[in-house]
Amino acid sequence: MAMQTDVKAAHIEETGTIVSERTRLKGYQCISGGTAGDVIFRDGGASGVIRLRFNVPNNTNNPFANIIPGEGIVFTTNIHVTVPGTAPNAAKITVFYG
């Protein structure tokens, strides 16, 4: 089994493009900024194809992380993340990609 050693990380605290290239989402860490709602990962910008969606509560005391199984989720254009709330009360996301 080959090991992948070129995984990178990026962080975002407002809606926007977090990775600007073709890549695979390997995992993420998230904490709510105090506003409940959906975190949406899209391929191709704000109106692109939804690749992953999950809900966060308004509780800011419980960060959570998930590893994407297998090779991860392919994003052919970029990774755009929509977060609930507006800065400084938006969800904060760190993604692991490669």
Side-chain angles (χ1 to χ4, degrees):
M1 180 174 174
M3 289 178 65
Q4 182 173 344
T5 59
D6 58 348
V7 175
K8 302 172 192 96
H11 182 78
I12 198 165
E13 296 187 7
E14 61 187 2
T15 294
T17 299
I18 191 167
V19 178
S20 297
E21 62 190 22
R22 183 188 197 287
T23 192
R24 290 180 179 268
L25 179 65
K26 302 290 190 167
Y28 61 86
Q29 182 175 5
C30 177
I31 188 165
S32 171
T35 303
D38 286 344
V39 174
I40 304 170
F41 290 83
R42 294 180 189 267
D43 186 353
S47 61
V49 175
I50 295 173
R51 299 283 185 218
L52 176 66
R53 175 185 287 194
F54 61 90
N55 189 267
V56 295
N58 63 359
N59 184 341
T60 60
N61 297 322
N62 297 314
F64 58 93
N66 286 305
I67 297 172
I68 308 297
E71 297 293 319
I73 300 171
V74 174
F75 288 75
T76 58
T77 305
N78 59 33
I79 300 176
H80 183 277
V81 183
T82 302
V83 297
T86 55
N89 298 319
K92 287 111 177 103
I93 307 286
T94 299
V95 298
F96 304 97
Y97 66 98

